[in-house]
PDB file of all heavy atoms in Angstrom:
ATOM      1  N   ARG A  31     263.231  73.524 254.720  1.00  0.00           N
ATOM      2  CA  ARG A  31     262.280  73.010 253.677  1.00  0.00           C
ATOM      3  C   ARG A  31     260.857  73.163 254.112  1.00  0.00           C
ATOM      4  O   ARG A  31     259.977  73.317 253.318  1.00  0.00           O
ATOM      5  CB  ARG A  31     262.577  71.553 253.434  1.00  0.00           C
ATOM      6  CG  ARG A  31     263.779  71.420 252.532  1.00  0.00           C
ATOM      7  CD  ARG A  31     263.708  70.186 251.787  1.00  0.00           C
ATOM      8  NE  ARG A  31     264.533  69.181 252.467  1.00  0.00           N
ATOM      9  CZ  ARG A  31     264.754  67.989 251.947  1.00  0.00           C
ATOM     10  NH1 ARG A  31     264.233  67.664 250.835  1.00  0.00           N
ATOM     11  NH2 ARG A  31     265.523  67.189 252.631  1.00  0.00           N
ATOM     12  N   TYR A 103     269.566  65.014 243.532  1.00  0.00           N
ATOM     13  CA  TYR A 103     270.717  64.685 244.380  1.00  0.00           C
ATOM     14  C   TYR A 103     271.826  64.022 243.655  1.00  0.00           C
ATOM     15  O   TYR A 103     272.821  63.633 244.224  1.00  0.00           O
ATOM     16  CB  TYR A 103     270.214  63.779 245.543  1.00  0.00           C
ATOM     17  CG  TYR A 103     269.421  64.511 246.587  1.00  0.00           C
ATOM     18  CD1 TYR A 103     268.075  64.255 246.747  1.00  0.00           C
ATOM     19  CD2 TYR A 103     270.014  65.462 247.393  1.00  0.00           C
ATOM     20  CE1 TYR A 103     267.357  64.957 247.716  1.00  0.00           C
ATOM     21  CE2 TYR A 103     269.329  66.160 248.348  1.00  0.00           C
ATOM     22  CZ  TYR A 103     267.978  65.891 248.501  1.00  0.00           C
ATOM     23  OH  TYR A 103     267.249  66.604 249.442  1.00  0.00           O
ATOM     24  N   PHE A 114     272.350  72.847 250.073  1.00  0.00           N
ATOM     25  CA  PHE A 114     272.153  73.427 251.415  1.00  0.00           C
ATOM     26  C   PHE A 114     272.598  74.869 251.520  1.00  0.00           C
ATOM     27  O   PHE A 114     273.446  75.338 250.768  1.00  0.00           O
ATOM     28  CB  PHE A 114     272.922  72.554 252.437  1.00  0.00           C
ATOM     29  CG  PHE A 114     272.525  71.099 252.333  1.00  0.00           C
ATOM     30  CD1 PHE A 114     273.329  70.257 251.483  1.00  0.00           C
ATOM     31  CD2 PHE A 114     271.514  70.560 253.011  1.00  0.00           C
ATOM     32  CE1 PHE A 114     272.945  68.924 251.370  1.00  0.00           C
ATOM     33  CE2 PHE A 114     271.196  69.249 252.941  1.00  0.00           C
ATOM     34  CZ  PHE A 114     271.899  68.400 252.089  1.00  0.00           C
ATOM     35  N   THR A 122     268.920  72.954 256.717  1.00  0.00           N
ATOM     36  CA  THR A 122     268.456  71.922 257.603  1.00  0.00           C
ATOM     37  C   THR A 122     268.970  72.172 259.036  1.00  0.00           C
ATOM     38  O   THR A 122     269.978  72.935 259.162  1.00  0.00           O
ATOM     39  CB  THR A 122     268.912  70.497 257.158  1.00  0.00           C
ATOM     40  OG1 THR A 122     270.307  70.538 257.072  1.00  0.00           O
ATOM     41  CG2 THR A 122     268.303  70.166 255.793  1.00  0.00           C
ATOM     42  N   PRO A 124     270.916  70.583 261.263  1.00  0.00           N
ATOM     43  CA  PRO A 124     272.352  70.447 261.591  1.00  0.00           C
ATOM     44  C   PRO A 124     273.188  71.585 260.995  1.00  0.00           C
ATOM     45  O   PRO A 124     274.227  71.969 261.530  1.00  0.00           O
ATOM     46  CB  PRO A 124     272.783  69.104 261.014  1.00  0.00           C
ATOM     47  CG  PRO A 124     271.603  68.505 260.391  1.00  0.00           C
ATOM     48  CD  PRO A 124     270.427  69.418 260.491  1.00  0.00           C
ATOM     49  N   GLY A 158     270.932  59.340 254.408  1.00  0.00           N
ATOM     50  CA  GLY A 158     270.757  60.687 253.857  1.00  0.00           C
ATOM     51  C   GLY A 158     271.545  61.725 254.630  1.00  0.00           C
ATOM     52  O   GLY A 158     270.987  62.665 255.188  1.00  0.00           O
ATOM     53  N   PRO A 159     272.910  61.584 254.652  1.00  0.00           N
ATOM     54  CA  PRO A 159     273.715  62.476 255.555  1.00  0.00           C
ATOM     55  C   PRO A 159     274.083  63.865 254.995  1.00  0.00           C
ATOM     56  O   PRO A 159     274.814  64.540 255.653  1.00  0.00           O
ATOM     57  CB  PRO A 159     275.003  61.662 255.720  1.00  0.00           C
ATOM     58  CG  PRO A 159     274.822  60.384 255.053  1.00  0.00           C
ATOM     59  CD  PRO A 159     273.748  60.551 254.050  1.00  0.00           C
ATOM     60  N   GLY A 160     273.513  64.268 253.886  1.00  0.00           N
ATOM     61  CA  GLY A 160     273.750  65.645 253.350  1.00  0.00           C
ATOM     62  C   GLY A 160     275.245  65.964 253.263  1.00  0.00           C
ATOM     63  O   GLY A 160     276.004  65.253 252.618  1.00  0.00           O
ATOM     64  N   GLU A 189     273.998  56.966 251.197  1.00  0.00           N
ATOM     65  CA  GLU A 189     273.977  58.192 250.383  1.00  0.00           C
ATOM     66  C   GLU A 189     273.845  57.923 248.863  1.00  0.00           C
ATOM     67  O   GLU A 189     274.643  57.143 248.367  1.00  0.00           O
ATOM     68  CB  GLU A 189     275.238  58.994 250.690  1.00  0.00           C
ATOM     69  CG  GLU A 189     275.307  60.328 249.934  1.00  0.00           C
ATOM     70  CD  GLU A 189     274.129  61.209 250.086  1.00  0.00           C
ATOM     71  OE1 GLU A 189     273.940  61.781 251.169  1.00  0.00           O
ATOM     72  OE2 GLU A 189     273.328  61.327 249.146  1.00  0.00           O
ATOM     73  N   ALA A 190     272.851  58.536 248.283  1.00  0.00           N
ATOM     74  CA  ALA A 190     272.629  58.307 246.835  1.00  0.00           C
ATOM     75  C   ALA A 190     273.484  59.223 245.986  1.00  0.00           C
ATOM     76  O   ALA A 190     273.749  58.941 244.813  1.00  0.00           O
ATOM     77  CB  ALA A 190     271.135  58.551 246.495  1.00  0.00           C
ATOM     78  N   SER A 191     273.916  60.353 246.571  1.00  0.00           N
ATOM     79  CA  SER A 191     274.624  61.364 245.747  1.00  0.00           C
ATOM     80  C   SER A 191     276.120  61.227 245.766  1.00  0.00           C
ATOM     81  O   SER A 191     276.784  61.251 246.825  1.00  0.00           O
ATOM     82  CB  SER A 191     274.198  62.769 246.297  1.00  0.00           C
ATOM     83  OG  SER A 191     275.212  63.696 245.968  1.00  0.00           O
ATOM     84  N   LEU A 194     277.671  64.469 247.284  1.00  0.00           N
ATOM     85  CA  LEU A 194     277.563  64.587 248.740  1.00  0.00           C
ATOM     86  C   LEU A 194     278.397  63.550 249.432  1.00  0.00           C
ATOM     87  O   LEU A 194     278.973  63.821 250.493  1.00  0.00           O
ATOM     88  CB  LEU A 194     276.080  64.513 249.158  1.00  0.00           C
ATOM     89  CG  LEU A 194     275.259  65.735 248.722  1.00  0.00           C
ATOM     90  CD1 LEU A 194     273.743  65.519 249.084  1.00  0.00           C
ATOM     91  CD2 LEU A 194     275.712  67.000 249.445  1.00  0.00           C
ATOM     92  N   HIS A 249     267.770  62.101 259.378  1.00  0.00           N
ATOM     93  CA  HIS A 249     267.271  63.438 259.499  1.00  0.00           C
ATOM     94  C   HIS A 249     266.909  63.990 258.135  1.00  0.00           C
ATOM     95  O   HIS A 249     267.808  64.015 257.292  1.00  0.00           O
ATOM     96  CB  HIS A 249     268.278  64.355 260.194  1.00  0.00           C
ATOM     97  CG  HIS A 249     267.753  65.783 260.344  1.00  0.00           C
ATOM     98  ND1 HIS A 249     268.203  66.809 259.544  1.00  0.00           N
ATOM     99  CD2 HIS A 249     266.766  66.261 261.112  1.00  0.00           C
ATOM    100  CE1 HIS A 249     267.517  67.869 259.855  1.00  0.00           C
ATOM    101  NE2 HIS A 249     266.653  67.555 260.792  1.00  0.00           N
ATOM    102  N   GLU A 250     265.683  64.375 257.925  1.00  0.00           N
ATOM    103  CA  GLU A 250     265.231  64.862 256.614  1.00  0.00           C
ATOM    104  C   GLU A 250     265.620  63.917 255.528  1.00  0.00           C
ATOM    105  O   GLU A 250     266.156  64.289 254.470  1.00  0.00           O
ATOM    106  CB  GLU A 250     265.761  66.303 256.294  1.00  0.00           C
ATOM    107  CG  GLU A 250     265.142  67.297 257.233  1.00  0.00           C
ATOM    108  CD  GLU A 250     264.727  68.579 256.542  1.00  0.00           C
ATOM    109  OE1 GLU A 250     264.360  68.511 255.389  1.00  0.00           O
ATOM    110  OE2 GLU A 250     264.813  69.656 257.133  1.00  0.00           O
ATOM    111  N   PHE A 251     265.382  62.626 255.780  1.00  0.00           N
ATOM    112  CA  PHE A 251     265.664  61.598 254.722  1.00  0.00           C
ATOM    113  C   PHE A 251     264.315  61.030 254.258  1.00  0.00           C
ATOM    114  O   PHE A 251     264.069  60.947 253.080  1.00  0.00           O
ATOM    115  CB  PHE A 251     266.485  60.460 255.334  1.00  0.00           C
ATOM    116  CG  PHE A 251     266.612  59.275 254.448  1.00  0.00           C
ATOM    117  CD1 PHE A 251     267.437  59.334 253.288  1.00  0.00           C
ATOM    118  CD2 PHE A 251     265.951  58.119 254.694  1.00  0.00           C
ATOM    119  CE1 PHE A 251     267.559  58.234 252.438  1.00  0.00           C
ATOM    120  CE2 PHE A 251     266.076  56.988 253.896  1.00  0.00           C
ATOM    121  CZ  PHE A 251     266.914  57.056 252.747  1.00  0.00           C
TER     122      PHE A 251
HETATM  123  N1  SAH B   1     270.351  64.795 256.744  1.00  0.00           N
HETATM  124  C1  SAH B   1     270.903  65.904 256.010  1.00  0.00           C
HETATM  125  C2  SAH B   1     270.510  65.990 254.540  1.00  0.00           C
HETATM  126  C3  SAH B   1     269.045  66.035 254.214  1.00  0.00           C
HETATM  127  S1  SAH B   1     268.772  66.102 252.461  1.00  0.00           S
HETATM  128  C4  SAH B   1     270.612  67.181 256.724  1.00  0.00           C
HETATM  129  O1  SAH B   1     269.735  67.227 257.527  1.00  0.00           O
HETATM  130  O2  SAH B   1     271.267  68.201 256.489  1.00  0.00           O
HETATM  131  C5  SAH B   1     268.473  64.446 251.968  1.00  0.00           C
HETATM  132  C6  SAH B   1     269.695  63.515 251.942  1.00  0.00           C
HETATM  133  O3  SAH B   1     269.280  62.206 251.603  1.00  0.00           O
HETATM  134  C7  SAH B   1     270.788  63.905 250.940  1.00  0.00           C
HETATM  135  O4  SAH B   1     272.059  63.507 251.490  1.00  0.00           O
HETATM  136  C8  SAH B   1     270.391  63.037 249.735  1.00  0.00           C
HETATM  137  O5  SAH B   1     271.453  62.870 248.852  1.00  0.00           O
HETATM  138  C9  SAH B   1     269.977  61.781 250.440  1.00  0.00           C
HETATM  139  N2  SAH B   1     269.011  60.960 249.670  1.00  0.00           N
HETATM  140  C10 SAH B   1     267.842  61.349 249.172  1.00  0.00           C
HETATM  141  N3  SAH B   1     267.178  60.319 248.609  1.00  0.00           N
HETATM  142  C11 SAH B   1     267.970  59.234 248.862  1.00  0.00           C
HETATM  143  C12 SAH B   1     267.824  57.816 248.592  1.00  0.00           C
HETATM  144  N4  SAH B   1     266.766  57.363 247.919  1.00  0.00           N
HETATM  145  N5  SAH B   1     268.808  56.966 248.969  1.00  0.00           N
HETATM  146  C13 SAH B   1     269.872  57.452 249.582  1.00  0.00           C
HETATM  147  N6  SAH B   1     270.080  58.779 249.915  1.00  0.00           N
HETATM  148  C14 SAH B   1     269.163  59.620 249.550  1.00  0.00           C
END
Side-chain angles (χ1 to χ4, degrees):
R31 282 206 262 185
Y103 287 111
F114 307 89
T122 58
E189 177 54 72
S191 157
L194 289 174
H249 180 255
E250 292 223 34
F251 172 72

